[in-house]
Amino acid sequence: MKQILILYFSGVGNTKYVAECMYSSIKKQCTVDIKSIEEIDISFDLSQYNKIVLGTSTIHSEPAKPMKDFLKAINRLEKPVPAFIYATYGLYPENVLRVFADLCIAKNIVPVCYSGYRCSATDGILLVPAINFFAKNEKNINKKVERDINEFIKEDKADFNKPEYKWYGLLNYPNKWIGQHFHFKIYLHKKYCAGCNKCVVHCPMGAIKRDHLGYPAIDRQKCINCYRCIHNCPYMALSLFRKKRHKKTIKYKKQRFLDER
Ligand SMILES: Cc1cc2nc3c(=O)[nH]c(=O)nc-3n(C[C@H](O)[C@H](O)[C@H](O)COP(=O)(O)O)c2cc1C
């Protein structure tokens, strides 16, 4: 039997970064596999592992849609498997871990440990780039991740450890409501598009195709607003604003506008 599986969904890379920190920290101590849910399908056998780590980004106060859909679609495991669940978030995680824990427990994946990590805000950095706080991870994030994961692999707890209810989660209801009722459009500034295909290749939902002129066309029904396409465009040709391009993104923080194009 294999020992540990680290399974995550990451829109832009923060949740992946945390997963990779965990992987490097535990690979010398036990057998560990690391996978994004984009690499597997619902027939993947989770019961071959002794313990599971599940990670997701926070999107409008909920676990990211691909992670929710995955957990809803898989079969319930015959035997309970202890899990460590984590969420990365840009501002504060409030009750996202409770929702995540409920989805896991329904499938006999039993959260015995949980944690949240404040990372760069993949939405905030686009909407309010002047606030530097949105571009940074919390201090000493690597050490916190290492400490948490080591605790999980050493401990032999088997009891469900549900994250506490946080009353201030109520403050996030407007945010949740926006996420449920609005779908932000992503605009293409054609003049700057080099047809490099990065947005098409990176989209986790296969929501971007190239039109007959070679420009990316986004299927809004499939788009989950993870903004991976915007952050991966080297020319900053994709934007949340119709008339304005973003000045910095997470992958291309130092890139200047390529206005001469
Ligand atoms: C559409 C969208 C909605 C978000 N909603 C929240 C939120 O409600 N609360 C929060 O703290 N962070 C929120 N974030 C920030 C992300 O949770 C955070 O940046 C996370 O680390 C992204 O991880 P990833 O790079 O693995 O996708 C949101 C990001 C996006 C793109």
Side-chain angles (χ1 to χ4, degrees):
M1 195 173 202
K2 291 186 180 174
Q3 283 191 313
I4 297 188
L5 170 68
I6 303 172
L7 189 59
Y8 64 88
F9 173 76
S10 182
V12 178
N14 291 340
T15 316
K16 179 177 181 198
Y17 173 78
V18 171
E20 286 172 348
C21 284
M22 290 179 174
Y23 178 77
S24 343
S25 171
I26 55 181
K27 70 175 181 210
K28 288 182 199 123
Q29 306 173 51
C30 50
T31 326
V32 52
D33 285 346
I34 178 167
K35 290 190 188 295
S36 151
I37 57 169
E38 290 166 58
E39 292 169 51
I40 60 168
D41 61 29
I42 56 165
S43 63
F44 184 79
D45 182 17
L46 296 176
S47 62
Q48 61 181 306
Y49 295 92
N50 290 331
K51 292 184 174 191
I52 299 177
V53 180
L54 279 173
T56 180
S57 38
T58 303
I59 302 292
H60 292 294
S61 316
E62 295 259 330
K65 188 176 181 306
M67 181 52 88
K68 282 197 294 189
D69 290 349
F70 175 80
L71 286 171
K72 284 178 190 161
I74 57 173
N75 289 329
R76 188 179 157 85
L77 306 186
E78 273 175 29
K79 285 189 193 151
V81 179
F84 171 35
I85 58 169
Y86 73 90
T88 62
Y89 59 94
L91 205 52
Y92 76 112
E94 34 72 34
N95 292 313
V96 69
L97 285 167
R98 281 177 73 85
V99 179
F100 199 14
D102 285 339
L103 289 166
C104 290
I105 197 80
K107 295 300 156 99
N108 231 352
I109 298 167
V110 185
V112 293
C113 299
Y114 57 87
S115 195
Y117 304 102
R118 189 180 60 73
C119 294
S120 53
T122 50
D123 54 345
I125 197 175
L126 300 177
L127 296 166
V128 263
I131 303 182
N132 258 339
F133 174 84
F134 285 143
K136 292 179 184 155
N137 291 344
E138 67 176 80
K139 260 192 178 171
N140 297 325
I141 186 169
N142 298 38
K143 282 188 189 153
K144 183 175 166 192
V145 170
E146 223 169 90
R147 202 177 49 235
D148 290 346
I149 193 68
N150 281 315
E151 204 173 291
F152 173 61
I153 50 177
K154 276 184 205 131
E155 293 251 345
D156 257 335
K157 288 193 277 185
D159 292 341
F160 181 35
N161 183 8
K162 190 162 179 167
E164 279 169 25
Y165 178 76
K166 304 213 175 75
W167 67 266
Y168 53 80
L170 293 175
L171 300 174
N172 241 29
Y173 265 82
N175 181 7
K176 210 171 198 169
W177 188 84
I178 290 172
Q180 282 161 359
H181 294 89
F182 293 95
H183 192 88
F184 297 108
K185 192 168 175 198
I186 295 170
Y187 296 95
L188 172 70
H189 296 264
K190 282 190 178 167
K191 189 176 148 198
Y192 303 100
C193 176
C196 70
N197 224 29
K198 280 206 165 143
C199 53
V200 176
V201 172
H202 280 285
C203 178
M205 306 305 289
I208 312 182
K209 300 266 177 300
R210 292 176 78 165
D211 67 14
H212 63 289
L213 294 173
Y215 291 119
I218 302 176
D219 180 342
R220 290 182 69 189
Q221 300 297 325
K222 286 190 188 166
C223 171
I224 53 162
N225 272 147
C226 68
Y227 306 152
R228 194 189 286 177
C229 52
I230 300 181
H231 288 286
N232 277 287
C233 176
Y235 307 103
M236 291 167 190
L238 292 165
S239 169
L240 288 176
F241 306 116
R242 189 196 296 269
K243 296 207 170 134
K244 212 171 69 175
R245 288 155 72 208
H246 296 294
K247 290 195 177 129
K248 67 178 174 193
T249 61
I250 285 177
K251 303 258 165 156
Y252 291 94
K253 274 186 207 160
K254 291 186 187 127
Q255 183 98 11
R256 294 261 170 90
F257 274 2
L258 300 172
D259 285 337
E260 59 284 355
R261 274 179 175 278

